[in-house]
Amino acid sequence: MLVTGTLNTLLTKLQDQQCIANCDNPDPAQHQLFEQPVWQTLNMFYGEMLCLACLYAIGLFRRRSAGNAPDAAADGYQPIPDSASVASADADAAADADVSADGTAGAPPLKPIAGWATLYMWLPAVCDLLGTTLMNVGLFFTSASVYQMLRGAVVVFSGLFSVVFLGHRLERFQVISLGMVVLGVTIVGLSNVISPPAGAHSAAAAADHSVLKAAVGVALVLGAQLFTASQFVIEEKIIRRYRLTPLRAVGLEGSFGAATVMVAIPVLHVAIGRSHPGGYFDAPVGFRQIVDNPSVWQTSIYIMLSIAMFNYFGLSVTRHLSATSRATIDTCRTLFIWMSSLALGWEAFSWVQVVGFVILVYGTFVYNRVISL
């Protein structure tokens, strides 16, 4: 999870830095870099769809394994299950019957999501679509580490939304920790504005506009967390009503998200792209930029695979360890992205960023009960 999550952000930033036109010009400011956030969002959903394909492959393998098992009735022999198997089966049945989605004992079992109810997963997919697209644009104007740190603000929005829409109650230490996260995110954002990444992207190359572009990048990444937090809240409401495995949930969101983007691409091209050739919504240009540049489509494949593996390993960590462990590993991912960016020369060391990151991490750990105040 740590490795694939780190690679996901670094590969996306690497793709943003791929030159697609005017590459022979000695002036780097004249190079045209890859700027297609909508196509990158579609690629992300393809990665999530692989989780659904993985789920169906596992189910097919199990059915075939069961079909190849020897027929007990054919020779009159039926194996006697051992006590451990019986105990395990009884425990699984009791867990399914007596525990609701929020862990309340004695509640009736949830019905599986099926039929028209599956369309509920379209709502978090749309939130994911909007949030990811905004973050992809924001990454054009920020460094990979600042981008990842700013994403920590989702804790604040998801905490507030859970109180308003889910009826959760925040304890005193959680309120204090959210305040610390806000402070840390503010410091990190200011570090990006005060010292914008030099040469991070063609749109931010002009010195007169670098600070403005950096501020826009920070605002876009932070604004995207509103949609990400909304996605989390909607997912929780759905899981409270229906029985849905996490792997299938990711796959369904990927399927609905990909379908939505594929419909939106031609519509946005007609509405906006034709009047702004070469922009974010010029579909033919974006497609040609991908297929005509091996470095772009190759990184797209790597990003898609890293997203699929990141989701799978993240769900495995949550299942076998805890959600707190997953939050801790995700925080360590930010540190690895920062260290990698420094090693690759993508950004310069900043003590202001260090202070903001430490406060952000401490607040996140307190909120997730990893450490206490």
Side-chain angles (χ1 to χ4, degrees):
M1 176 186 173
L2 181 61
V3 173
T4 55
T6 301
L7 286 175
N8 181 25
T9 299
L10 293 178
L11 287 171
T12 303
K13 188 63 179 178
L14 178 63
Q15 188 178 62
D16 293 342
Q17 296 175 338
Q18 298 305 307
C19 182
I20 57 174
N22 300 327
C23 301
D24 296 331
N25 194 309
D27 183 7
Q30 301 302 319
H31 294 178
Q32 183 181 351
L33 306 184
F34 183 72
E35 295 182 334
Q36 296 296 334
V38 179
W39 287 99
Q40 288 178 322
T41 300
L42 179 62
N43 190 57
M44 179 207 68
F45 283 128
Y46 283 154
E48 292 183 354
M49 286 177 62
L50 290 178
C51 293
L52 195 60
C54 179
L55 182 65
Y56 287 146
I58 293 173
L60 180 62
F61 174 78
R62 289 177 176 174
R63 286 193 296 270
R64 287 187 174 180
S65 300
N68 294 332
D71 190 353
D75 55 5
Y77 170 78
Q78 185 163 349
I80 300 175
D82 57 65
S83 58
S85 299
V86 174
S88 177
D90 290 343
D92 290 342
D96 289 340
D98 297 334
V99 180
S100 66
D102 57 0
T104 305
L110 298 175
K111 59 181 179 180
I113 190 168
W116 289 105
T118 308
L119 295 178
Y120 285 137
M121 296 303 297
W122 212 311
L123 297 175
V126 171
C127 292
D128 196 7
L129 187 161
L130 297 173
T132 301
T133 303
L134 287 176
M135 285 190 287
N136 286 337
V137 178
L139 185 57
F140 294 160
F141 311 126
T142 62
S143 63
S145 63
V146 169
Y147 162 85
Q148 193 65 38
M149 292 178 192
L150 292 174
R151 293 183 64 177
V154 70
V155 175
V156 178
F157 296 124
S158 59
L160 296 177
F161 287 176
S162 66
V163 172
V164 176
F165 299 108
L166 299 176
H168 291 179
R169 294 185 62 184
L170 296 180
E171 299 182 25
R172 182 172 175 270
F173 76 91
Q174 290 178 310
V175 175
I176 296 175
S177 65
L178 290 181
M180 297 177 65
V181 171
V182 171
L183 177 60
V185 168
T186 301
I187 295 175
V188 170
L190 288 175
S191 72
N192 188 71
V193 175
I194 295 172
S195 301
H201 205 268
S202 60
D208 293 341
H209 302 287
S210 59
V211 173
L212 176 61
K213 295 296 184 181
V216 170
V218 170
L220 288 173
V221 176
L222 289 178
Q225 305 317 306
L226 289 169
F227 295 105
T228 304
S230 301
Q231 174 191 348
F232 293 165
V233 171
I234 295 172
E235 287 173 344
E236 184 171 342
K237 290 184 75 69
I238 294 173
I239 292 174
R240 283 185 176 186
R241 295 183 57 185
Y242 298 97
R243 188 169 72 250
L244 180 65
T245 61
L247 200 60
R248 188 179 179 217
V250 174
L252 287 175
E253 286 188 19
S255 301
F256 289 137
T260 304
V261 175
M262 287 189 290
V263 171
I265 284 177
V267 174
L268 290 172
H269 172 70
V270 173
I272 305 175
R274 290 194 300 182
S275 59
H276 296 78
Y280 295 160
F281 305 111
D282 191 337
V285 169
F287 182 76
R288 286 195 300 269
Q289 288 178 358
I290 296 174
V291 298
D292 292 344
N293 295 275
S295 60
V296 175
W297 63 258
Q298 288 173 3
T299 53
S300 295
I301 294 175
Y302 298 146
I303 291 169
M304 181 173 59
L305 294 175
S306 70
I307 289 173
M309 290 188 289
F310 174 72
N311 281 285
Y312 177 79
F313 291 137
L315 295 172
S316 299
V317 168
T318 303
R319 179 181 179 183
H320 296 291
L321 296 177
S322 66
T324 300
S325 301
R326 184 176 182 178
T328 304
I329 295 175
D330 204 40
T331 302
C332 294
R333 175 168 66 129
T334 305
L335 178 61
F336 273 66
I337 292 171
W338 188 17
M339 293 170 58
S340 300
S341 298
L342 291 173
L344 292 171
W346 288 355
E347 57 183 289
F349 183 83
S350 169
W351 279 109
V352 177
Q353 193 172 331
V354 173
V355 173
F357 178 64
V358 170
I359 297 174
L360 174 61
V361 170
Y362 185 76
T364 303
F365 279 179
V366 171
Y367 184 83
N368 289 304
R369 294 183 170 89
V370 177
I371 57 178
S372 58
L373 282 174

